Amino acid sequence: MTNKREQIYKAALTLFNKNGFDKTPTSQIAKEASVAIGTLFHYFKTKEELINSLYLKCKESMIEKIMDGTGEEKTFKGKIKRLYINFLKWGLECTDEFMFFQQFSNSVYIYDTTRAEGKNKFEVLMVFLKEGTEKEIIKNTPTDYLLTVTAAIMMSNINYLIANQQLMENDEFIEQTFSVLWDSVKN
């Protein structure tokens, strides 16, 4: 049986994506999760706390998925490609999390502590990109800028693939989209 916290996360994810944060009352989340409102507030003191917790949960899911197997790749480019393909798969397999993540990333509901914790979760990617610049494989620009550029390209590609899912099976198309990413960062 799914635990109550997970039921609340799942319901909140669905409702936030459907209605937005402002138009999703906690009573509706509790009802959708099949829990009492008091149970929701037992786990999350406020709706904002729930939003922030769900954001970090989605970010953890993403990082875990995108880093899978990158250590097995022999070249830096191979690692970037594996990371890229993993990210696309995550976005298509976890579309609700992806959509929530996009909605929340620039939200006024994000706590400064959540921003800092979220940034820490990306530290593994920052180290990875810094290694690429130090080895002169990718452009020698600030690492946080490289992360911003690559994330923007990957997010755009997921949005495109959500609307055109059959293209995920088209190796030539995926290679073309990876080339756009790689050409933007390679030295």
Side-chain angles (χ1 to χ4, degrees), residues 139-167:
K139 290 177 174 50
N140 188 15
T141 58
T143 308
D144 60 335
Y145 173 75
L146 284 172
L147 183 61
T148 300
V149 168
T150 56
I153 291 170
M154 293 191 302
M155 298 285 243
S156 296
N157 287 344
I158 289 174
N159 279 320
Y160 187 81
L161 286 168
I162 287 171
N164 302 280
Q165 290 193 18
Q166 74 283 0
L167 291 173

Side-chain angles (χ1 to χ4, degrees), residues 170-177:
N170 183 328
D171 293 339
E172 184 178 337
F173 178 77
I174 297 302
E175 192 60 43
Q176 288 171 345
T177 63

